[in-house]
């Protein structure tokens, strides 16, 4: 037992001299738990009655993750601690027609990809439902995939979150006599907050 301990100490010392350190992730930094995403714009148009055109329904959403989150542990040679994914924001515009080919829950779109330094962020949206009658509400889901290649490592995280917005609560708008419906964020409710959760992760997963 004493010999084993001595060998372990010597082995660890050699690794340290070579710049290689076997250690667990450092303690999670103070930005955990994840901070909310923010929706600062939500505008939707939707015809209530069929038939209607292929791109009759449209949705515009400005969404952001205003906070940095840990990507993974930084090498001790670079000072240790964590490297972080930068904050990210995007304007997401979707046009579609709800039918058998693209029903609610299967209407997915890539909002786009942004690059900030070494951070690549890809936003995606799923339109779960837009209901015009009798209630007026919008149900959406988002995913945010972060990627970074740094210090020879491929850091990755995917976050997901959902929002339910209803007229009279966080939305304003409705349908006119021609059956054309339009909705916006209710005055004074922006930003609309979404609490994200960690869906997939590589390094610093908490």
């Amino acid at each position: 037992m004493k010999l084993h301990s001595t060998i372990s100490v010597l082995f660890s010392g050699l690794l340290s001299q070579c710049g290689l350190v076997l250690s667990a992730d450092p303690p999670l930094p103070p930005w955990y738990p994840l901070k909310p995403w923010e929706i600062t714009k939500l505008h939707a148009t939707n015809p209530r009655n069929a038939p209607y055109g292929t791109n009759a329904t449209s949705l515009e959403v400005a969404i952001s993750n205003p906070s940095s989150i840990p990507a993974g542990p930084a090498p001790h040679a670079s000072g240790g601690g964590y490297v972080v994914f930068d904050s990210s924001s995007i304007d997401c515009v979707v046009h579609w027609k709800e039918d058998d080919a693209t029903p609610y829950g299967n209407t997915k779109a890539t909002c786009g990809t942004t690059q900030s330094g070494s951070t690549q962020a890809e936003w995606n949206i799923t339109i779960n439902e837009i209901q015009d009658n009798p209630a007026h509400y919008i149900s959406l889901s988002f995913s945010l995939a972060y990627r970074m290649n740094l210090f020879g490592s491929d850091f990755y995280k995917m976050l997901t979150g959902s929002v339910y917005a209803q007229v009279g609560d966080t939305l304003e708008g409705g349908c006119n006599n021609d059956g054309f419906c339009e909705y916006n964020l209710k005055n004074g409710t922006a930003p609309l907050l979404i609490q994200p959760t960690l869906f997939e992760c590589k390094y610093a997963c908490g």
Side-chain angles (χ1 to χ4, degrees):
M1 182 65 69
K2 184 176 181 180
L3 179 61
H4 180 269
S5 299
T6 302
I7 293 174
S8 297
V9 171
L10 290 173
F11 184 63
S12 299
L14 288 172
L15 288 176
S16 297
Q17 291 178 14
C18 295
L20 301 173
V21 177
L22 298 180
S23 62
D25 287 354
L28 288 174
W31 50 74
Y32 267 101
L34 297 170
K35 294 180 176 61
W37 295 341
E38 297 181 357
I39 291 180
T40 53
K41 177 183 179 181
L42 194 162
H43 177 247
T45 58
N46 192 44
R48 184 167 54 186
N49 301 315
Y52 50 84
T54 301
N55 291 323
T57 300
S58 68
L59 182 69
E60 299 176 55
V61 181
I63 187 170
S64 67
N65 174 30
S67 305
S68 299
I69 63 172
H76 289 262
S78 70
Y82 278 91
V83 293
V84 299
F85 294 120
D86 291 341
S87 59
S88 174
S89 62
I90 202 160
D91 293 324
C92 189
V93 179
V94 186
H95 300 279
W96 86 101
K97 175 184 178 181
E98 190 274 319
D99 56 20
D100 292 339
T102 54
Y104 287 127
N106 289 323
T107 303
K108 304 177 188 297
T110 298
C111 298
T113 301
T114 65
Q115 188 80 34
S116 173
S118 300
T119 299
Q120 183 185 80
E122 180 182 311
W123 288 90
N124 289 276
I125 185 173
T126 299
I127 295 91
N128 299 319
E129 190 174 8
I130 296 180
Q131 179 60 252
D132 299 314
N133 188 32
H136 298 267
Y137 64 83
I138 297 174
S139 174
L140 307 171
S141 296
F142 297 90
S143 67
L144 170 58
Y146 274 122
R147 293 177 176 86
M148 176 191 294
N149 183 276
L150 198 64
F151 302 122
S153 297
D154 291 318
F155 300 111
Y156 169 78
K157 276 185 174 64
M158 179 180 283
L159 313 177
T160 59
S162 299
V163 64
Y164 175 93
Q166 185 168 352
V167 169
D169 183 12
T170 53
L171 285 183
E172 58 187 12
C175 305
N176 61 23
N177 292 334
D178 296 325
F180 182 80
C181 310
E182 186 171 11
Y183 306 100
N184 288 284
L185 281 182
K186 187 177 179 180
N187 187 34
T189 61
L192 193 61
L193 302 182
I194 301 177
Q195 181 57 52
T197 58
L198 189 59
F199 183 72
E200 294 179 344
C201 179
K202 185 178 180 182
Y203 302 111
C205 299

